[in-house]
Amino acid sequence: MWDLFISHASEDKETVVKQLADTLKKYGLKVWYDEFELKIGDSLSRSIDRGLAGSTFGIIILSKAFFEKGWTDYELRSLLSREVSKRDKIILPVWHGIKAEDVLHYSPYLADKFALSTDMGIDELAYKIMETVKPDVINSIGIQKMFRKLLPYSELKEIEPDHIYMEEKVRHKTLPNYFVIATKLICDVLGDITDMDYRDVLYDFARDADYDHEFLIWNAIACSYISFIRDNKIDFSDLDIKRDIFSFLLGYTTGAVKDIEDWQQRHPKLAKEQYYELMIRYAQNHDFIMEYSSDSMKYTYGKILEQV
């Protein structure tokens, strides 16, 4: 029901906690935060229990105030119980105005967990949290950039890409050689509707946390785009239709296109059935690429030849 439960002890609604919650919502996360969820007359304990039970992760904003409150201890123990029973990472600790010895005195278990700090700033903090909660979204640096450029055409207002912080550092000093060749092909396929330069795209791959997954997504987009245009005999000189096809694929890839009928009403260049076909085509290409990319090349060729 919720992606995140935020446990904190601040009563100031303009604190970093409120700013963090707002920023995470701009990413599209479903956040349980008392100001968002509690209404006058609600049972505090019942609402907290519902939020705890219905959230995938729990952010614990550890502060001096947190150590002094009773309900925060209840929230922490509930999250600890889930984490221990599921043997999976659920608790995401964030330090605010405290030191390691403060956490160690309060909870040796939390002191042993890698934590983020509000000192890094709200944008970077939200980015780091997204790397754990929604890595498929935050890893797509190239797709985020393309949303910025195509927003006037795609009208994907839900994404609010201008608000998305993108980490600038290069994570990978080297990339596989085939990236250079295959990336050039992808850029050429999409070149007449975008200004993608393969050197810039390679740089974006080097910044991605999981460049392999991002690379596979771009391959699925390019394959779906060019095969749909070919099979439906789209006029190759009609840049508006081709740009709309590409915008739809970007939106579908990130989950921004939630209602095809609504999209078709706002983008009547193609019939509703054609958008469904485009959606299916992308899903098939994505599944095919993901299936065979997980094996060695020798074994992959063997599997393909067996089906011929």
Side-chain angles (χ1 to χ4, degrees):
M1 188 175 182
W2 291 282
D3 296 308
L4 282 170
F5 178 96
I6 297 183
S7 177
H8 68 103
S10 174
E11 297 178 358
D12 181 0
K13 299 307 181 183
E14 296 303 319
T15 61
V16 293
V17 182
K18 173 63 164 57
Q19 296 172 33
L20 178 61
D22 287 337
T23 301
L24 290 170
K25 286 193 68 177
K26 289 176 181 177
Y27 275 98
L29 290 185
K30 296 179 180 178
V31 179
W32 193 102
Y33 174 62
D34 51 12
E35 183 179 342
F36 298 158
E37 301 300 331
L38 292 177
K39 304 294 185 295
I40 187 170
D42 284 351
S43 166
L44 180 61
S45 60
R46 189 175 302 169
S47 296
I48 289 175
D49 284 341
R50 187 169 63 249
L52 287 167
S55 298
T56 306
F57 292 92
I59 296 180
I60 304 295
I61 309 294
L62 297 172
S63 64
K64 292 181 179 179
F66 185 95
F67 299 151
E68 298 170 355
K69 302 295 183 180
W71 77 81
T72 54
D73 185 65
Y74 172 78
E75 293 171 351
L76 175 59
R77 289 180 183 277
S78 298
L79 290 169
L80 279 172
S81 177
R82 286 184 56 198
E83 185 165 279
V84 171
S85 64
K86 291 189 174 183
R87 298 181 180 180
D88 198 5
K89 180 170 64 175
I90 293 176
I91 298 175
L92 309 179
V94 175
W95 295 5
H96 178 56
I98 57 173
K99 299 178 180 179
E101 52 264 32
D102 298 322
V103 183
L104 182 61
H105 182 265
Y106 177 74
S107 170
Y109 180 84
L110 288 179
D112 190 52
K113 291 176 73 72
F114 177 78
L116 301 174
S117 172
T118 56
D119 291 340
M120 66 176 57
I122 296 300
D123 287 335
E124 186 175 358
L125 178 58
Y127 182 94
K128 295 294 185 183
I129 291 171
M130 283 289 293
E131 283 186 320
T132 295
V133 179
K134 292 288 186 181
D136 56 327
V137 174
I138 206 63
N139 286 345
S140 300
I141 290 176
I143 291 178
Q144 292 176 26
K145 288 177 62 178
M146 195 55 61
F147 266 127
R148 283 187 169 95
K149 295 175 182 179
L150 286 183
L151 190 62
Y153 305 109
S154 62
E155 300 178 10
L156 297 177
K157 305 299 185 182
E158 309 95 308
I159 295 299
E160 299 188 54
D162 290 333
H163 296 289
I164 296 179
Y165 169 88
M166 292 194 297
E167 190 148 284
E168 293 298 327
K169 70 178 182 181
V170 173
R171 298 168 181 266
H172 313 283
K173 298 301 183 182
T174 61
L175 293 171
N177 289 334
Y178 67 85
F179 262 59
V180 177
I181 301 171
T183 299
K184 182 66 165 62
L185 178 60
I186 293 172
C187 293
D188 284 350
V189 167
L190 303 171
D192 58 347
I193 58 167
T194 72
D195 58 354
M196 294 173 67
D197 179 90
Y198 84 98
R199 297 174 185 85
D200 292 336
V201 177
L202 284 174
Y203 176 70
D204 290 338
F205 282 139
R207 293 160 58 202
D208 279 318
D210 184 358
Y211 62 77
D212 273 325
H213 185 257
E214 175 81 352
F215 180 73
L216 297 178
I217 289 176
W218 276 111
N219 270 273
I221 289 175
C223 290
S224 305
Y225 169 82
I226 199 66
S227 65
F228 179 86
I229 290 173
R230 180 196 63 217
D231 295 344
N232 285 273
K233 296 180 172 56
I234 303 294
D235 186 344
F236 207 75
S237 65
D238 194 333
L239 298 184
D240 286 340
I241 290 182
K242 291 165 64 178
R243 189 177 288 114
D244 183 65
I245 293 169
F246 180 54
S247 299
F248 176 85
L249 286 168
L250 282 177
Y252 181 70
T253 298
T254 61
V257 177
K258 300 180 176 66
D259 188 325
I260 291 183
E261 291 189 8
D262 176 67
W263 173 276
Q264 198 276 331
Q265 290 177 1
R266 292 185 290 119
H267 301 261
K269 296 181 179 66
L270 295 176
K272 179 177 63 177
E273 292 73 20
Q274 288 179 300
Y275 284 120
Y276 276 110
E277 177 192 341
L278 194 56
M279 175 190 71
I280 294 171
R281 194 176 291 251
Y282 172 81
Q284 290 174 337
N285 275 305
H286 181 271
D287 290 347
F288 176 86
I289 292 172
M290 291 298 290
E291 177 184 358
Y292 290 111
S293 65
S294 62
D295 302 316
S296 69
M297 290 303 294
K298 182 177 180 181
Y299 180 56
T300 297
Y301 290 141
K303 290 181 68 175
I304 294 175
L305 292 173
E306 287 174 2
Q307 299 177 16
V308 175

